[in-house]
Amino acid sequence: MPRFSIIVPVFKVQGFLRECLDSVLEQSYADVEVIAVDDCSPDGCGAILDEYAARDPRVRVLHLPENVGLGRARNAGMPLAGGDYLFFLDSDDTLTPGALRAVADRLDETADPDVLVFDYARTYWWGGTRRNVLARVLAEAGPGTFSAAEHPEILDLLMVVWNKVYRRAFVEREGFAFPPGYYEDTPWTFPVMLSAERIAALDRICLAYRQRRQGNILSTTSRKHFDIHDQYERVFAFVGSRPELAHWRPYLHRKMGEHCLDILSKEDRLPEGDKAEFFRLTAALFRRHKSGPVPAELRLLEGGFTRYRVRRQADRAGRELGRRGQQARRAVAARVKHGWSAVHGHRPLDPHLAVYSAFSHRGVLGDPAAVYTAARELAPHVRGVWVVRDEEQAALLPPDTEHVLLDSLAYRRITARATYFVNNVNWPGSLVKRPGTVHVHTHQGTPLKYMAADLLHKPGARHGVDVPQMLRRADRWDYSLVANRHSELVWGRAYPCHFTSLRSGSPRNDVLVRARPGDGEAARARLGVPAGNRVVLYAPTRRDYVRGGHAERLDLAAFADGLGADHTLVVRLHPSLADGPARGMGLAELHRRGVVVDATDEPCVEDVMLASDALVTDYSALMFDYANLDRPIVLLADDWGAYAASRGAYFDITADAPGHVALSQRELAELFASEAWRDGESDRLRAGFRSRFCEFDDGRAAERVVRTLMLGERPVPPSTTAALPAQAGHDVLASS
């Protein structure tokens, strides 16, 4: 008996069907059967299904003699199912890699609940991806099981059949089946969820919900949308047959009203001439099942269609007025701020005022933070003020940190008079550089991938990047901090502007250079690393050849398992991926289960590096900083060709690597299983890498910046014995 019976109704999806089936059959978890129901599809779907059934015994095909619709096609497949759990997968959607393993593990963890609800992401025809906006409901559900009464928020999720798996014995005992018509998920999902005694949640994106440009049934203009009324009648009939569910009637009454009004409000659902009839039928249904006070937003259903349309037009007009009013308020505010800037722009500069910002105004971080700390010690007469983007970020600042909010009047006042500007991202274009100011750009590490002007020849990577504007902002730089001569060459090429390179080293790396045993213990304790465990830090970067930047390159669960119980795998995503769907692809769930530690939200990456014993990365600039710790580094470079071709790279990192290079996950696992990751060859490669890219990092970078630029002292150059870095024949800088 298989663990999962995956029922796939198929109709006019020949362009998507192979991708759907492959996403199931290529899962690492193989204990499945696929029951594909050919709903008399007029295209080539039937032949495709027969082809898959012929080569994979897990696929069984049922050819229906006539088209019966989505719900009844699912019903036709259910009697053939022999698995513990039913999984209804639409034939234009796909499972994400590792989804079935994650679902199976969660079912085992929760002792086979009646229903397991998992997360999904919308994937758009133009390439975009957007995670379910209510994913937090799954995270908040907790590790155990619950009923809908105990966690009613679970019903706020999209009421569809395909974001859940169902215990087959539970479905058969209750006699659940799909009705005909549109919105067939509604009279299935509500009865199932209200009847289930044990529901579990999985905070992981297991399904890619395809948003087709055309062909989506529910986006078709048709009178078939009237089916929604019959479907809710079925829901109320079910609740009426179960006295123990009577308390759900007010909730369902509200949901029904909201659902029907949502259909009516969409321009592409109902023919214009049928909208009045749809409203009248909805209002009648609403009156018939009324049970308690009517929410204010649904009182429209107690009036006529004319009143409804007037209200809709008034709402649209109100939104437009609000939009115009907001534009007017912004324009007035901009004039006021400009007036402040004009007044203060004529006042003398304050020679004892420095303004700091890091990572687009996200707080006291990175190189600017290290310079700020050094200035407080060495130049206490220089007042330091941080720019943060909003009140939420301001609340996270260390105590007694003076700050202003970006684009506020206080920001205009401070930036109009400050002498020193320290940032690792360009300042906004509205900031005017006054004569006598000193702009220090710290960058964000040593560059491997193409930057700024070098992106002009990489249209894919340049998409959405205004290079000319970037260079205009860089024209304000006075000093560019560099940690090695490679960076000096790159920044001079990528930013053809008038600035002076300061061979200071990277200020944020001072703590790494000066690291002592035990420096990472506080971070290890904060991350929950067991005492005595070896910590492997995995830090992947974003991909320019993938929309959204996230590419699954490593099976985290398998890698962590291979490392053994005496190792802890700590994962830190690239900051640009922290708020996207990347964590929902398994990282959040693995963190919850203690399989890995998600350190993406740790504000100080230097703490995470200090807490680790080795680094696994692909092409992240973090490796250049990490090398200062003189700890093993392993590269996972399975897609180096695609990465370098799409983004561009200043040298071949696989030839000038800081350690061993794995070209597959299997090779990576073998490196750790054999202990080769920390052998003599690893030490030799790392030593060469350090000599090239840690050239000016001597632990005094922040001090050097403050003494040179704020105190006017003669700079003490870092000691260096390294040759000009990365000048092998494959280095593009050698010939540029």
Side-chain angles (χ1 to χ4, degrees):
M1 179 187 297
R3 189 59 163 155
F4 298 110
S5 292
I6 301 180
I7 298 174
V8 186
V10 178
F11 182 73
K12 294 176 69 173
V13 287
Q14 63 180 7
F16 308 115
L17 183 56
R18 292 181 185 276
E19 186 179 358
C20 172
L21 296 174
D22 288 344
S23 77
V24 176
L25 301 175
E26 293 175 3
Q27 290 277 315
S28 59
Y29 189 89
D31 189 16
V32 302
E33 65 176 359
V34 177
I35 301 169
V37 182
D38 173 15
D39 192 16
C40 202
S41 186
D43 56 7
C45 286
I48 293 172
L49 294 176
D50 290 339
E51 172 194 330
Y52 273 78
R55 68 171 187 249
D56 194 318
R58 294 177 295 171
V59 179
R60 182 175 180 181
V61 182
L62 174 63
H63 295 283
L64 299 182
E66 60 180 359
N67 177 254
V68 297
L70 187 57
R72 288 183 170 179
R74 290 172 181 153
N75 291 341
M78 277 197 282
L80 306 180
D84 297 329
Y85 278 84
L86 301 177
F87 192 143
F88 298 99
L89 177 64
D90 286 354
S91 50
D92 55 351
D93 295 336
T94 56
L95 299 185
T96 61
L100 291 182
R101 165 56 66 187
V103 171
D105 288 347
R106 185 75 176 114
L107 291 173
D108 292 342
E109 182 184 24
T110 51
D112 285 6
D114 296 327
V115 181
L116 172 68
V117 187
F118 52 79
D119 202 12
Y120 66 93
R122 284 180 164 85
T123 57
Y124 294 87
W125 60 270
W126 42 266
T129 300
R130 183 167 64 89
R131 189 178 185 182
N132 167 26
V133 296
L134 292 177
R136 59 168 181 77
V137 171
L138 297 172
E140 293 166 358
T145 60
F146 53 89
S147 66
E150 293 166 332
H151 188 54
E153 294 83 5
I154 200 72
L155 299 178
D156 291 334
L157 297 174
L158 193 63
M159 282 288 102
V160 291
V161 66
W162 43 255
N163 64 348
K164 309 170 185 71
V165 295
Y166 313 85
R167 189 164 57 85
R168 183 167 60 88
F170 162 68
V171 171
E172 291 177 348
R173 183 192 74 208
E174 299 291 337
F176 293 127
F178 292 92
Y182 275 23
Y183 303 100
E184 76 292 335
D185 286 6
T186 298
W188 166 280
T189 308
F190 278 119
V192 164
M193 295 298 285
L194 298 181
S195 301
E197 296 177 357
R198 299 178 63 247
I199 302 170
L202 174 60
D203 181 21
R204 186 194 193 279
I205 297 172
C206 294
L207 183 138
Y209 175 31
R210 189 186 300 274
Q211 304 295 289
R212 292 158 67 177
R213 184 171 182 269
Q214 293 180 340
N216 186 322
I217 293 175
L218 293 184
S219 295
T220 304
T221 303
S222 166
R223 279 186 61 87
K224 290 186 177 181
H225 292 282
F226 280 72
D227 288 352
I228 189 65
H229 302 124
D230 288 340
Q231 306 297 25
Y232 270 103
E233 287 285 20
R234 292 183 172 100
V235 173
F236 283 112
F238 177 83
V239 172
S241 70
R242 306 281 183 103
E244 70 276 13
L245 299 180
H247 64 282
W248 285 106
R249 291 184 63 85
Y251 173 86
L252 293 170
H253 181 251
R254 176 173 60 82
K255 279 288 185 182
M256 180 269 293
E258 292 172 349
H259 197 167
C260 291
L261 285 178
D262 181 64
I263 293 170
L264 187 59
S265 69
K266 288 183 165 56
E267 298 298 329
D268 60 351
R269 296 295 193 268
L270 295 162
E272 191 61 35
D274 293 329
K275 290 184 177 180
E277 180 185 357
F278 184 89
F279 179 89
R280 287 193 295 272
L281 291 174
T282 298
L285 182 66
F286 194 72
R287 287 192 300 272
R288 189 157 56 250
H289 294 287
K290 181 178 178 181
S291 53
V294 176
E297 65 273 14
L298 296 180
R299 289 173 188 162
L300 283 171
L301 289 169
E302 295 182 323
F305 181 65
T306 301
R307 178 183 170 189
Y308 164 80
R309 298 205 68 153
V310 169
R311 175 65 181 273
R312 287 273 299 167
Q313 291 167 358
D315 287 345
R316 280 196 292 265
R319 286 193 296 269
E320 178 61 20
L321 284 173
R323 185 184 66 81
R324 293 181 180 180
Q326 190 176 40
Q327 288 177 333
R329 287 191 294 272
R330 281 199 296 262
V332 170
R335 287 195 294 271
V336 171
K337 291 172 184 176
H338 178 74
W340 271 102
S341 298
V343 170
H344 286 271
H346 294 293
R347 297 178 64 186
L349 295 177
D350 183 344
H352 301 145
L353 179 58
V355 180
Y356 298 86
S357 181
F359 299 105
S360 300
H361 323 296
R362 289 198 295 113
V364 183
L365 302 167
D367 290 307
V371 174
Y372 168 75
T373 301
R376 294 186 72 176
E377 177 185 349
L378 301 172
H381 60 283
V382 176
R383 174 189 172 198
V385 180
W386 281 85
V387 177
V388 292
R389 62 187 179 189
D390 52 37
E391 291 286 2
E392 184 178 352
Q393 290 296 326
L396 301 176
L397 293 174
D400 303 322
T401 302
E402 188 175 358
H403 68 277
V404 294
L405 299 184
L406 178 67
D407 213 29
S408 65
L409 291 178
Y411 163 82
R412 301 272 178 160
R413 203 161 44 233
I414 287 290
T415 56
R417 298 205 57 211
T419 294
Y420 305 103
F421 292 79
V422 184
N423 201 344
N424 65 0
V425 178
N426 271 321
W427 293 99
S430 58
L431 193 153
V432 177
K433 177 175 170 56
R434 294 183 61 188
T437 56
V438 178
H439 281 243
V440 181
H441 194 74
T442 71
H443 303 284
Q444 295 181 36
T446 294
L448 170 63
K449 61 188 178 184
Y450 275 8
M451 304 292 286
D454 287 325
L455 292 176
L456 292 172
H457 303 293
K458 290 290 180 180
R462 195 182 73 241
H463 180 70
V465 177
D466 189 339
V467 174
Q469 182 188 62
M470 185 182 295
L471 298 183
R472 285 192 296 272
R473 294 180 178 184
D475 283 333
R476 297 175 295 195
W477 300 353
D478 294 292
Y479 293 94
S480 165
L481 305 189
V482 297
N484 46 64
R485 280 177 278 183
H486 164 77
S487 295
E488 193 170 46
L489 289 169
V490 168
W491 299 136
R493 161 187 171 139
Y495 293 97
C497 307
H498 296 288
F499 57 80
T500 299
S501 286
L502 183 63
R503 294 182 173 185
S504 59
S506 292
R508 71 180 183 278
N509 288 344
D510 289 347
V511 295
L512 305 180
V513 176
R514 297 195 300 259
R516 298 291 181 268
D519 281 359
E521 288 305 316
R524 290 168 71 96
R526 190 166 62 249
L527 294 170
V529 175
N533 265 28
R534 179 177 287 154
V535 175
V536 177
L537 171 61
Y538 175 54
T541 193
R542 62 178 292 114
R543 272 27 179 210
D544 289 286
Y545 65 81
V546 177
R547 186 180 288 273
H550 176 65
E552 287 285 311
R553 311 305 310 173
L554 184 61
D555 184 333
L556 296 175
F559 183 48
D561 183 62
L563 290 174
D566 58 345
H567 287 63
T568 297
L569 180 61
V570 174
V571 181
R572 185 177 178 87
L573 297 177
H574 189 277
S576 66
L577 303 176
D579 297 324
R583 291 160 109 169
M585 296 301 289
L587 177 57
E589 174 65 8
L590 293 175
H591 175 79
R592 184 194 65 79
R593 290 169 48 202
V595 177
V596 304
V597 173
D598 179 6
T600 304
D601 288 336
E602 278 291 311
C604 186
V605 69
E606 292 79 27
D607 286 348
V608 180
M609 289 191 277
L610 286 167
S612 68
D613 298 293
L615 171 68
V616 175
T617 186
D618 34 41
Y619 324 115
S620 171
L622 198 70
M623 74 178 90
F624 298 99
D625 304 324
Y626 195 87
N628 283 287
L629 288 170
D630 200 18
R631 299 173 188 175
I633 302 173
V634 178
L635 292 190
L636 176 59
D638 59 327
D639 65 338
W640 170 248
Y643 181 88
S646 61
R647 175 66 191 225
Y650 292 111
F651 64 95
D652 184 352
I653 190 62
T654 64
D656 286 310
H660 287 292
V661 178
L663 299 179
S664 66
Q665 179 160 339
R666 180 180 59 80
E667 290 185 13
L668 179 65
E670 290 173 353
L671 281 171
F672 277 88
S674 66
E675 295 286 320
W677 62 278
R678 56 181 184 139
D679 62 10
E681 177 65 6
S682 171
D683 294 343
R684 185 189 68 80
L685 291 168
R686 188 169 68 257
F689 191 83
R690 281 167 50 82
S691 72
R692 295 193 297 272
F693 299 112
C694 302
E695 186 179 8
F696 304 142
D697 280 329
D698 62 354
R700 300 181 61 190
E703 175 190 349
R704 187 171 292 112
V705 172
V706 173
R707 291 192 182 280
T708 303
L709 303 182
M710 294 183 178
L711 298 179
E713 298 179 5
R714 187 178 184 86
V716 178
S719 58
T720 173
T721 58
L724 192 66
Q727 293 301 294
H730 50 262
D731 188 338
V732 300
L733 293 178
S735 58
S736 63

